[in-house]
Amino acid sequence: MNFELLSRTQFHSRYRKAEKAREHITKELIDLMENAVHTLTTRPTVKGRAKEFDSYYKKYLKLLKETPGTEPLITDIIALRVICPFLEDQLAVEKLIKEHFSVIELDRKGAHFSFKEFGYESVHLLIEIPAELTAKWGDCGTNAVEVQIRTILQDAWAEVEHELVYKAEFTPFDDPMKRRLAAVNASLSLADNIFQEIRAYQRQLNGELGKRRDSFYRKIEEATDGLLFCEERDGEKAYQEETESFVDEQATVDDLLLSALSAHNRNRFYEAIAYYTRILELKTDPKICTMIYKHRGMAYFAQSRYAEAIEDFGRSLQMDQKSYKSAYYRGVVKSVLRQYQGAIDDFSLSLKINPYQQFTLYRRGQAYYHLEDYPAALADCEAALTLDPDSSSALRFRTLLQDKLKMLG
């Protein structure tokens, strides 16, 4: 279909007429997009811009040359960019955009590139401008907005490539230069994939750590409430010999730790201890050893092997004198063994390192209670309630202490 070709002056006049509306709509679209993706824990960054006239007119003429006699369709007069830390975030952002906006078109840029080519990959969506924005600010020269979803590294590549290739008067044409650009792009793509693998590993590891922590705290609750512990089951010694053979001597520390935590959370304590021990045998970084001693101590505690648990928590504390949790855990084991003065010493050490521990104050108060030092126990209980006023266990303990003091008074 033929159309009237406007002069640059006429074209600029038409562009300027909708300029203010574009600026306002761009700002509001950024806000709407930020609200749409704010639920993601990685908090993607949203950027936006309205195309400047020179860039707009240059693209207009370029498209006109490709399709002479037809009004060029420029879809990125207004463009948004959503920048994510990880590859997996792209799909999550895409899903949220589809939920909050009307999507006209979706294109996965760069998916067709061969390994010999260079170019960035990203997800491009074309969304409709919400009717309420057009009604509020008027015609902005377009009814659609281009949204690009990229990782941080994809965005970095796109910015540099835009300067080197797209905006340059000529682009590299010799094979060595092309290979260099392809190598950079491949390195960034590899880095994105490695970051994603690390992210997935962290998620799995944190999940196992959370399960292990919960089960350990339940064991503490049971132990300090004076419940009986089951004796070691018959057959577990044989199970130890069987499971220790599962440890791969060539496995990395990361693999061993994940296997240890997984076994720990399935209550396969001998297997977990075998993995923890193998990590310690590798003589890794002292910070890692500090953590492993702590985890192995928890596994020993779960088996009611209290002497070994105390020894491991002590080693952890020796390697990191600021490890208030190691001191707290050792105090818990001593409480279970009714070594209350030793428990108080460990709890006090833990609180000296970090005074803001509700459970440590509560446990020290329990130890004071067993030594019949009720005023000290009540002081710790009150301090624990200051940090967590809704703690049902501390509230019950305070009532018990108040009744005990009334009887003695």
Side-chain angles (χ1 to χ4, degrees):
M1 184 174 64
N2 294 328
F3 71 100
E4 181 184 356
L5 179 62
L6 302 177
S7 68
R8 180 184 174 92
T9 302
Q10 291 172 318
F11 198 81
H12 187 254
S13 178
R14 189 173 75 176
Y15 173 87
R16 290 294 303 274
K17 186 177 180 182
E19 190 170 25
K20 289 298 181 183
R22 273 195 301 275
E23 291 177 1
H24 289 298
I25 288 175
T26 300
K27 289 178 181 178
E28 293 215 25
L29 282 170
I30 292 172
D31 291 340
L32 289 173
M33 188 62 68
E34 287 177 341
N35 288 333
V37 301
H38 84 281
T39 55
L40 296 179
T41 55
T42 51
R43 297 299 175 93
T45 301
V46 179
K47 299 179 180 179
R49 62 102 183 103
K51 211 172 190 67
E52 294 181 358
F53 175 74
D54 287 342
S55 177
Y56 178 39
Y57 190 64
K58 182 180 178 181
K59 187 166 187 177
Y60 180 84
L61 293 178
K62 179 182 177 182
L63 293 175
L64 185 61
K65 185 171 66 174
E66 294 174 358
T67 57
T70 303
E71 177 74 31
L73 178 63
I74 300 177
T75 59
D76 65 340
I77 301 175
I78 296 176
L80 301 183
R81 191 179 303 172
V82 185
I83 304 168
C84 315
F86 302 102
L87 287 169
E88 66 179 3
D89 298 327
Q90 290 180 303
L91 287 176
V93 169
E94 180 183 321
K95 182 174 182 292
L96 289 169
I97 291 175
K98 290 176 179 177
E99 290 175 359
H100 289 82
F101 298 92
S102 177
V103 176
I104 302 170
E105 183 180 318
L106 186 148
D107 185 17
R108 302 188 189 281
K109 299 283 186 180
H112 62 283
F113 288 139
S114 74
F115 72 95
K116 295 180 180 179
E117 295 177 296
F118 59 88
Y120 67 90
E121 295 184 19
S122 62
V123 180
H124 288 207
L125 298 96
L126 202 60
I127 64 171
E128 289 184 6
I129 296 177
E132 59 268 23
L133 294 187
T134 304
K136 180 178 180 181
W137 299 110
D139 178 32
C140 64
T142 182
N143 64 349
V145 174
E146 183 177 284
V147 182
Q148 301 171 349
I149 309 173
R150 300 172 179 164
T151 65
I152 294 171
L153 294 183
Q154 287 171 351
D155 189 58
W157 166 259
E159 292 286 358
V160 175
E161 187 213 34
H162 191 70
E163 295 294 327
L164 288 179
V165 179
Y166 183 77
K167 289 178 65 176
E169 292 187 13
F170 66 92
T171 59
F173 53 85
D174 62 307
D175 285 340
M177 189 62 72
K178 284 185 177 181
R179 282 197 293 269
R180 287 184 181 183
L181 287 170
V184 172
N185 180 257
S187 297
L188 291 174
S189 297
L190 177 61
D192 253 338
N193 282 293
I194 291 174
F195 287 155
Q196 182 58 56
E197 289 174 6
I198 293 172
R199 178 69 169 176
Y201 171 80
Q202 284 180 326
R203 183 178 293 109
Q204 187 177 2
L205 183 62
N206 288 336
E208 296 294 346
L209 282 169
K211 293 177 187 175
R212 189 269 311 146
R213 190 181 300 111
D214 291 342
S215 64
F216 179 65
Y217 288 160
R218 282 196 300 272
K219 174 76 172 180
I220 291 177
E221 291 284 345
E222 294 168 0
T224 54
D225 286 345
L227 299 178
L228 297 176
F229 287 92
C230 297
E231 295 296 325
E232 187 173 1
R233 298 191 303 274
D234 292 338
E236 280 201 322
K237 291 290 186 184
Y239 181 71
Q240 176 183 16
E241 296 175 0
E242 178 185 342
T243 57
E244 284 179 344
S245 64
F246 293 165
V247 180
D248 181 1
E249 296 296 318
Q250 304 302 317
T252 66
V253 171
D254 286 339
D255 291 336
L256 289 168
L257 178 56
L258 194 56
S259 297
L261 293 172
S262 179
H264 199 151
N265 291 331
R266 298 198 309 273
N267 297 328
R268 299 168 67 93
F269 300 118
Y270 277 120
E271 185 178 337
I273 288 169
Y275 284 121
Y276 291 138
T277 302
R278 175 56 185 159
I279 295 173
L280 292 168
E281 289 172 350
L282 294 175
K283 301 185 185 301
T284 57
D285 184 272
K287 290 182 179 179
I288 296 176
C289 290
T290 298
M291 178 182 67
I292 298 304
Y293 276 124
K294 190 160 52 181
H295 288 330
R296 194 174 70 172
M298 293 176 182
Y300 282 137
F301 179 72
Q303 291 182 304
S304 302
R305 295 165 66 177
Y306 300 128
E308 290 150 300
I310 287 175
E311 185 177 355
D312 268 4
F313 291 140
R315 286 174 176 172
S316 177
L317 186 59
Q318 186 177 20
M319 297 187 76
D320 179 7
Q321 296 181 4
K322 293 184 179 180
S323 179
Y324 61 91
K325 286 187 177 180
S326 296
Y328 167 65
Y329 295 156
R330 190 172 65 180
V332 167
V333 181
K334 290 179 181 178
S335 289
V336 173
L337 295 173
R338 301 183 182 181
Q339 299 173 7
Y340 296 119
Q341 188 54 57
I344 289 170
D345 292 341
D346 280 336
F347 292 143
S348 298
L349 174 59
S350 181
L351 289 165
K352 182 179 179 181
I353 301 168
N354 177 11
Y356 307 106
Q357 301 179 72
Q358 187 265 342
F359 277 109
T360 306
L361 288 162
Y362 172 63
R363 300 300 174 200
R364 189 174 69 175
Q366 284 186 324
Y368 278 128
Y369 174 83
H370 289 297
L371 292 179
E372 299 183 356
D373 188 346
Y374 304 125
L378 183 59
D380 272 353
C381 185
E382 294 288 4
L385 285 168
T386 299
L387 294 174
D388 184 5
D390 299 323
S391 171
S392 58
S393 55
L395 288 168
R396 289 197 303 270
F397 186 41
R398 182 172 65 180
T399 300
L400 173 65
L401 288 166
Q402 287 171 340
D403 291 342
K404 180 69 70 173
L405 288 169
K406 285 180 183 177
M407 290 173 57
L408 294 174

